[in-house]
Amino acid sequence: MVHRLRDLYAKDNHLKTLAAMPTAASSIKMHRLSRTHLVIGAVILVALYQSLSYMRSSYVTEPRNGRDTGLLYHFLGSNGTQPTQPLKHVSSSSGLGKSSSGTVNSIGQLIANANTTFEDLLAKKSTSLNEAANTYRIKRGRHPPPGFDQWYEYATSNDAIIIEDFFDQIYHDLEPFWAFSPRDIRDRARNLGMHVSILNATAEANTGWFWHVIWASMINEVAYMLPDMVIPLNAMDEPRLMVPFEDITTFIAEAGNHRAVPHPEQVTDTVTGWTDNAEPDQPYLDIAWSQSAPLSFARAACAPDSPLRSEPTALHLNMAAQPDHAQDLKFMSHGFVSNFTLASDVCQDPSIAAYHGALTNPLTASTSRDLLPLFGGSKFAVNNDILIPAPMYWDGDEKFDAGDDKDWSSKNNKATWRGTATGGRHNALNWPNFHRHRFVALTNGTKYSLADETSDRIFTSLQQRSALSPLPINLQKNMSLWINKHNDIAFTDMFCDIPTEESQYIDGNSFSGRYRSFLQSKSVPIKATLYREWHDSRLIPWKHFVPMNNRFTDYYAILSYFVGCDEELCGSDGKDEGHDSEAEDIARAGSEWAEKVLRKVDMQIYAARLLLEYGRLTDDNRESLGWVKDLKYEELKSVNRTDEIPDP
Ligand SMILES: *[C@@H]1O[C@H](CO)[C@@H](O)[C@H](O)[C@H]1NC(C)=O
Ligand SMILES: *[C@@H]1O[C@H](CO)[C@@H](O)[C@H](O)[C@H]1NC(C)=O
Ligand SMILES: *[C@@H]1O[C@H](CO)[C@@H](O)[C@H](O)[C@H]1NC(C)=O
Ligand SMILES: *[C@@H]1O[C@H](CO)[C@@H](O)[C@H](O)[C@H]1NC(C)=O
Ligand SMILES: *[C@@H]1O[C@H](CO)[C@@H](O)[C@H](O)[C@H]1NC(C)=O
Ligand SMILES: *[C@@H]1O[C@H](CO)[C@@H](O)[C@H](O)[C@H]1NC(C)=O
């Protein structure tokens, strides 16, 4: 470590070489969370917090008027339980057999790759403070923030696994702010209103809003190691900031000019701290919040060559009817999600708004294109909000608690889901653009068998074909019964009324607060999402959960892979045992890993790291603030024992 740093110091007093390292690059991709989680291979105890009620059929089958009819959405089985035409296996040259070998090889391969990815991640674990600090410098291009040793001590005394990648999201979120002066960021923070502040090592919310109260308690656990500061927190379900791509690119480039690892002697560790008292001549910033749906902002925030932005004229309600070219979705491989980071990035699917309520007609929309230091629990990949663990994860509310779940062998061979018909403002016309509604429809075998008699459409014919083609032929012949046998999925409340102030704070309008419990539950979570969260770099798709794309075209094939098809439904020649033990492996790996890296204290550790960085970022002296005790010590050692240190 010493050699490496000396090497770099020798070139220049600043480690400019590091400026080209992953900080800026990592700002483009991170992960996300989901609204729709399912649990496969097993029944999971999902808390129902609305009373059970079923979809009113008059509601869902309401005929569409005008030219929308039939164009918008094509339903799954247009010929009842029979596929329109014999479906060809595109990806398999071998016999069609009972299950496509393309499918088997593909999921098996993805699972094996995930094992390797996970091992690679574990190998990055730091086992000492100095190692952690060194990894930090190499990865971030700066010295660790003041207080890093105290943070490390807190983390290790709580048995945390320290892998620097776990904190990538922090650097992605904060990096563009280095383009703004500390004073400017403080001014913006004060102008945002609702916040938690840290004053003399105590965190307190300036509002009674329950999220803020929970956030304050979480932050208070680690406030003893943090300077005074103001932390503006989003009070809405939806993320709020979408800065145009070109602006962010400029900010990140400018931030690079402030990235350096100065000589330890030029570094201090005294952070001043600041409060919500206005500074002299502090401007009042009139922040422009736009109420329009986030799609137009999202386009502008995507890279110019990304699929969403490069088709700017498409009207999203018609997108479901457009021919979709599966090969254009870069994140899919052999029909399954092979890159979950991309699969959960709004920019990567030109038609994404046709598949997600929050893009179609969000419950609340209030978006700014300015870069503001606003913290929140989840966001789209293109949002510039700063992620902090969401209150519902930390709070331990029993609605979000896994409880004491059963062992694998005593669970049912079914996918289970319950939830409200939330996700935005749905109506008789737009509901097939809502992810939850689409999911509940496609897992309803009765609806499938009645497809010809209704006008409900959630798949284009092409999508239908790609959803069915990986399935064994015998299964395709009995889709409706098979779907009903292996799914237990329903709404608990349709939420047909226009939400009121009180009712709007419900599950399903952004990330799923139940995801952590699903992981803990010893069942397999299947996850499709457009949301990023604090924990994303900790969870490996196909190792800890099963990823699904936001169109859900892969759902039947995923289910079929794991649960198979029994003799009763598929006949003795079509019988398929599925891959129960692979599902069990994922369930076990997910729950064991969640016990290690998604604990409440892990959220506190993440929050502490985030706020140490924010504290430095907003300090006038930030360019020379850092934690360098390891280097001072090593430097000293090297002066005394130069003979033992070979020349670089
Ligand atoms: C199935 O659909 C195809 C094309 O949509 C049609 O030609 C055929 O007659 C239908 N078969 C049945 C049994 O309805
Ligand atoms: C992945 O790792 C688990 C646990 O280490 C092991 O049981 C499983 O067989 C591995 N799967 C593959 C496909 O390599
Ligand atoms: C901050 O807390 C310390 C220890 O509790 C106390 O001694 C000190 O007076 C406090 N300072 C202020 C400004 O409240
Ligand atoms: C996902 O795709 C991005 C962009 O192509 C790439 O940088 C990243 O490494 C990929 N991730 C995985 C796990 O393959
Ligand atoms: C399944 O679809 C049928 C037909 O539309 C409907 O009557 C039933 O309520 C649906 N079941 C669920 C659980 O949504
Ligand atoms: C579908 O399943 C039913 C119920 O088990 C069975 O009677 C029927 O033979 C199956 N149909 C086909 C085509 O396999």
Side-chain angles (χ1 to χ4, degrees), residues 45-233:
L45 305 175
V46 176
L48 309 181
Y49 45 117
Q50 308 293 338
S51 59
L52 197 69
S53 70
Y54 287 103
M55 254 196 255
R56 289 208 315 266
S57 56
S58 63
Y59 180 80
V60 293
T61 58
E62 187 154 338
R64 280 181 200 90
N65 48 20
R67 58 208 157 90
D68 286 342
T69 308
L71 241 193
L72 282 183
Y73 321 105
H74 300 264
F75 192 64
L76 323 142
S78 56
N79 276 43
T81 56
Q82 296 271 6
T84 308
Q85 294 151 6
L87 296 159
K88 300 275 186 317
H89 292 256
V90 256
S91 59
S92 167
S93 54
S94 60
L96 299 180
K98 42 192 199 172
S99 56
S100 146
S101 64
T103 306
V104 172
N105 292 342
S106 174
I107 290 195
Q109 194 59 52
L110 289 162
I111 291 176
N113 293 350
N115 268 9
T116 311
T117 306
F118 185 54
E119 275 160 28
D120 292 348
L121 182 70
L122 285 180
K124 297 184 188 174
K125 186 173 158 181
S126 293
T127 52
S128 71
L129 172 58
N130 286 9
E131 193 187 348
N134 192 46
T135 307
Y136 182 104
R137 290 189 186 95
I138 292 165
K139 202 164 158 68
R140 311 297 176 202
R142 294 191 172 92
H143 287 299
F148 188 73
D149 49 350
Q150 214 176 358
W151 173 84
Y152 183 86
E153 165 61 23
Y154 176 70
T156 48
S157 67
N158 283 294
D159 302 317
I161 295 174
I162 312 243
I163 296 177
E164 186 57 30
D165 294 27
F166 285 1
F167 306 99
D168 284 353
Q169 184 74 45
I170 293 174
Y171 300 89
H172 167 84
D173 294 348
L174 294 183
E175 186 64 12
F177 287 95
W178 284 86
F180 294 82
S181 74
R183 165 74 198 259
D184 195 357
I185 304 170
R186 297 195 299 267
D187 291 345
R188 286 168 191 238
R190 293 190 189 99
N191 274 306
L192 279 165
M194 295 170 89
H195 63 241
V196 166
S197 60
I198 299 177
L199 200 56
N200 202 15
T202 302
E204 210 172 328
N206 73 341
T207 83
W209 175 230
F210 78 112
W211 280 10
H212 289 172
V213 174
I214 297 168
W215 262 320
S217 310
M218 178 176 80
I219 292 168
N220 199 44
E221 295 288 326
V222 293
Y224 73 89
M225 64 174 101
L226 298 168
D228 292 354
M229 60 175 75
V230 174
I231 308 153
L233 287 153

Side-chain angles (χ1 to χ4, degrees), residues 274-323:
W274 52 288
T275 66
D276 61 357
N277 296 328
E279 291 175 56
D281 305 320
Q282 177 178 308
Y284 175 75
L285 303 176
D286 204 4
I287 302 163
W289 297 106
S290 163
Q291 259 68 67
S292 21
L295 190 64
S296 51
F297 304 108
R299 278 213 189 86
C302 292
D305 59 353
S306 67
L308 184 64
R309 179 143 168 200
S310 46
E311 291 186 40
T313 53
L315 296 170
H316 74 266
L317 278 180
N318 287 329
M319 283 184 188
Q322 293 189 341

Side-chain angles (χ1 to χ4, degrees), residues 50 133 159 196 265 301 303 398 485 520:
Q50 308 293 338
D159 302 317
V196 166
E265 280 171 9
E398 62 176 18
K485 181 163 191 161
Q520 292 170 327

